[in-house]
Amino acid sequence: MTNTETAKILATLAAVYQNFQVNEFTQKVWENLLEDVDYRFALPATKNLIKTCKYVPSIAEIIETAKIEKLLQFERQEELKIESCRNNQLSDGNARVLSSD
């Protein structure tokens, strides 16, 4: 995750949790610890945690939830591939049935 992306997550958390103060040191720590996390998964993870947590989610919670988001996205992509294959097989099968008449 880039420094700008981390700043967006911190700003979101600060906007929701009024007691969460972001300063230069806090931002550097979060940037360092979240640098290996993909923003595409961290942002929805953060949003989901905000919806369910009374208190500011920890870095560990965001990382863990981002991993779950990544797995869910992979699963959705696989389901779409399977569905696409089924649809192709159905349309190919219908074409064969129609052409055999």
Side-chain angles (χ1 to χ4, degrees):
M1 191 175 337
T2 67
N3 294 349
T4 302
E5 293 167 341
T6 303
K8 288 178 184 178
I9 287 179
L10 288 170
T12 301
L13 292 171
V16 174
Y17 301 99
Q18 281 71 36
N19 292 334
F20 184 65
Q21 302 277 328
V22 179
N23 57 39
E24 190 175 330
F25 179 73
T26 303
Q27 182 150 346
K28 291 295 179 193
V29 169
W30 280 66
E31 287 170 1
N32 186 13
L33 294 172
L34 292 175
E35 68 184 356
D36 296 332
V37 179
D38 191 325
Y39 182 71
R40 293 176 302 153
F41 308 116
L43 182 61
T46 302
K47 288 179 179 181
N48 287 335
L49 287 166
I50 287 171
K51 292 175 185 177
T52 60
C53 293
K54 293 180 183 180
Y55 304 103
V56 180
S58 68
I59 292 171
E61 289 172 311
I62 292 172
I63 291 170
E64 190 63 31
T65 308
K67 289 178 185 176
I68 293 168
E69 289 292 330
K70 185 176 182 177
L71 289 172
L72 289 173
Q73 182 174 342
F74 176 78
E75 186 177 277
R76 285 187 289 260
Q77 288 173 343
E78 291 302 306
E79 287 173 357
L80 288 173
K81 287 179 188 176
I82 291 168
E83 186 176 321
S84 176
C85 288
R86 284 183 186 150
N87 289 339
N88 287 339
Q89 288 174 346
L90 285 175
S91 62
D92 288 347
N94 288 338
R96 287 188 201 124
V97 170
L98 292 174
S99 65
S100 66
D101 286 339

